[in-house]
Amino acid sequence: MWYVDSTSYSFYIIAVSVLAQCLVYIGCGSLADFGNNRKKMLLGFAYAGAFFTIGYILVLNPNMYWLAGLLAILSNVCFGASSVFFLACIPSYAHVHPDVLQVKRDGGTEKEIHDIEEKISNQLSVMTLFWGIPSGIFILAICSVITIFMEDKMLSLKIGCVISGIWCIALLTFPVLWMKNRSGFPLPKNQSYFTLSFKRVGRTIKSARELIEIVKYLIAWFILSDGFGTVRTVGTIFAKKVLKLSQIELLLVSITVPLSAVFGAYGFLRIQRYFNLSTKKMVIITTSLLCLAPAYALCGFIAPFGFKHPWEIWLFAVYYGGLLGATQSFCTVLFSSLIPKGHENEFFSLNQITDKGSSWLGPLITGIISDVTHDLRNSFWYLFFSILIPVLIILTVNVDKGRKDAELFAENEKILLENQINNQDYNENEEEKEKIV
């Protein structure tokens, strides 16, 4: 009999869910760009994720660990996929926003159109955080209170999952009723739903030379997203193991970070508008400031400060959270500006794959550093460079060239699809003629 430790089992489930997410992103991303699939796939995956989360109530005893693992995989995959389609709505809606259409009707220049689209995209990106994060914190607080006061901890966790799923279903009422669907290019009749997305992603990867600016961004995001996640992980472990924060204090810190992210994203958006700065400059500014977080921890080697006192963790949570929300928001918009029109879901799928693909790297490297040096503080060296290197890469991204490359790529793909549809119609007409004869 092969024995698996409960902690290892959790890691295995997470690993399988990440792999499954990548396959679903590739297999479904491009499909959402065709026909009326965008809203359907967004809501379909979101509802499925909510129902799978509610399904935890069916795990009646520890022997049903296999069901808990299966539900974890399915819910992670569904919520991950729905987030891809949700983020892809930002550039899609920015293109057809009334302010953007008005500039086009007034005969605005290409730069004026891009500037207003970028402004709207930043506003939409910030608003997703402004509404999404407090909603998540609200339901987390309710579930935390239930867990604290119920004696049966297993039952309290299952009740928390049920409440979270119901909360998600309730909030999905709003997009069901009021979210407008933006149709994409019609799906060619001779294409398979199971292979189309894989073919499109494969062709896009082969065309990487034509989209070199977005490739540079994805490389930077691969490193940066790993840095984001690992800073949070190392910071939590450092606060618990070194500074001896209690579980309640750690819970409050974990709530402080996302709350600060909301205010940080909104505050930096106001700064951007006041000084009329481009999104690329805002990414560079906020990411550069993020470098100071691990740098501050490294000061602890030689100074009387630098994560040597518990109160410093609270300052770190506010500082890191505020910059994290702003950086993620601006990065989303910067990426949106480099995406070919009509390929939003496909490219946000690649963006999420890049994000998930690096999630194992930081914990592995920081774990090795900690084991070799026997000092967790040394892990902050890796975190410092994992944020600094993406800044240097993003400095080389030429946004204007990237937009032009994206427009040319989209036009070539449009012509290719039109030819496929025309050939289809021609072949169907020929078949009809043969039947008549």
Side-chain angles (χ1 to χ4, degrees):
M1 180 69 68
W2 182 29
Y3 173 78
V4 178
D5 182 76
S6 58
T7 303
S8 300
Y9 180 71
S10 300
F11 285 130
Y12 292 148
I13 292 299
I14 293 172
V16 172
S17 68
V18 170
L19 177 60
Q21 279 179 333
C22 292
L23 293 175
V24 171
Y25 295 163
I26 297 174
C28 297
S30 294
L31 285 177
D33 290 320
F34 285 93
N36 294 315
N37 291 329
R38 296 185 179 191
K39 183 177 178 179
K40 292 177 183 177
M41 297 188 78
L42 166 59
L43 294 176
F45 276 105
Y47 274 116
F51 282 113
F52 286 133
T53 302
I54 294 174
Y56 278 103
I57 197 67
L58 300 176
V59 182
L60 303 178
N61 56 68
N63 291 328
M64 298 181 71
Y65 62 89
W66 58 270
L67 178 58
L70 179 62
L71 290 171
I73 293 170
L74 293 174
S75 58
N76 283 341
V77 168
C78 289
F79 280 126
S82 64
S83 69
V84 168
F85 304 130
F86 174 74
L87 290 174
C89 290
I90 293 176
S92 298
Y93 286 130
H95 295 324
V96 295
H97 192 277
D99 292 349
V100 175
L101 297 178
Q102 185 61 49
V103 172
K104 291 181 178 179
R105 284 194 293 267
D106 295 340
T109 64
E110 185 179 339
K111 184 180 184 306
E112 289 173 337
I113 294 172
H114 173 260
D115 288 345
I116 190 66
E117 283 187 353
E118 189 176 85
K119 178 181 177 182
I120 297 301
S121 295
N122 276 306
Q123 182 177 335
L124 291 174
S125 183
V126 169
M127 292 307 293
T128 61
L129 297 176
F130 188 81
W131 289 102
I133 291 178
S135 173
I137 292 175
F138 172 73
I139 200 67
L140 175 63
I142 292 176
C143 295
S144 298
V145 170
I146 292 173
T147 303
I148 291 172
F149 288 99
M150 282 190 67
E151 293 184 3
D152 190 336
K153 299 304 179 185
M154 183 61 67
L155 180 59
S156 69
L157 290 173
K158 290 193 290 184
I159 292 174
C161 289
V162 172
I163 293 174
S164 299
I166 293 173
W167 178 249
C168 180
I169 292 173
L171 292 182
L172 284 173
T173 304
F174 295 99
V176 167
L177 296 177
W178 293 297
M179 181 179 178
K180 290 185 178 181
N181 190 33
R182 297 293 172 181
S183 299
F185 212 84
L187 181 71
K189 296 178 182 178
N190 64 345
Q191 292 290 338
S192 167
Y193 275 91
F194 298 102
T195 61
L196 173 67
S197 194
F198 287 95
K199 289 179 180 178
R200 291 252 297 182
V201 171
R203 189 162 61 248
T204 298
I205 293 174
K206 289 180 181 178
S207 305
R209 292 182 180 178
E210 302 172 20
L211 300 168
I212 191 64
E213 303 306 319
I214 205 168
V215 170
K216 289 192 287 187
Y217 171 87
L218 287 173
I219 293 172
W221 182 246
F222 177 85
I223 304 170
L224 187 59
S225 61
D226 172 57
F228 287 158
T230 311
V231 165
R232 188 184 297 110
T233 301
V234 173
T236 302
I237 295 173
F238 197 92
K240 183 178 181 179
K241 298 292 185 181
V242 180
L243 299 179
K244 307 300 182 182
L245 265 68
S246 66
Q247 287 296 122
I248 298 297
E249 288 175 317
L250 289 173
L251 176 62
L252 292 174
V253 168
S254 67
I255 293 176
T256 301
V257 171
L259 274 178
S260 300
V262 175
F263 293 106
Y266 182 75
F268 277 101
L269 178 63
R270 298 295 297 268
I271 292 173
Q272 181 194 30
R273 291 181 177 179
Y274 183 82
F275 292 102
N276 194 28
L277 300 173
S278 69
T279 300
K280 176 185 172 180
K281 288 181 180 178
M282 293 305 299
V283 171
I284 293 170
I285 290 171
T286 56
T287 310
S288 298
L289 290 173
L290 264 176
C291 288
L292 298 181
Y296 179 81
L298 292 171
C299 291
F301 280 119
I302 57 175
F305 57 86
F307 289 170
K308 289 194 171 182
H309 310 281
W311 59 265
E312 291 176 289
I313 289 295
W314 297 99
L315 294 180
F316 168 78
V318 173
Y319 181 83
Y320 174 75
L323 287 168
L324 178 65
T327 303
Q328 289 181 325
S329 177
F330 288 126
C331 281
T332 298
V333 175
L334 178 61
F335 182 66
S336 298
S337 66
L338 300 172
I339 295 176
K341 291 183 180 179
H343 295 258
E344 291 84 5
N345 291 282
E346 175 187 349
F347 275 85
F348 267 103
S349 295
L350 292 174
N351 184 61
Q352 285 293 91
I353 291 172
T354 304
D355 188 353
K356 299 295 182 183
S358 65
S359 59
W360 58 273
L361 187 61
L364 174 63
I365 294 178
T366 53
I368 293 173
I369 292 173
S370 179
D371 284 340
V372 171
T373 63
H374 304 292
D375 189 346
L376 186 58
R377 192 182 299 275
N378 282 303
S379 300
F380 286 99
W381 283 110
Y382 170 76
L383 299 177
F384 175 77
F385 287 106
S386 68
I387 298 175
L388 176 62
I389 292 173
V391 176
L392 302 178
I393 297 174
I394 290 174
L395 281 169
T396 69
V397 175
N398 187 327
V399 178
D400 291 334
K401 181 179 181 301
R403 281 178 28 240
K404 292 177 181 178
D405 292 343
E407 290 173 2
L408 180 61
F409 180 87
E411 187 62 31
N412 290 336
E413 287 291 299
K414 182 180 179 181
I415 293 172
L416 179 62
L417 283 171
E418 287 176 344
N419 289 338
Q420 288 179 351
I421 293 173
N422 291 334
N423 289 334
Q424 259 178 329
D425 294 338
Y426 175 79
N427 292 333
E428 288 176 358
N429 290 333
E430 289 298 311
E431 289 176 2
E432 288 296 324
K433 289 179 183 179
E434 289 179 3
K435 289 179 182 179
I436 295 173
V437 172

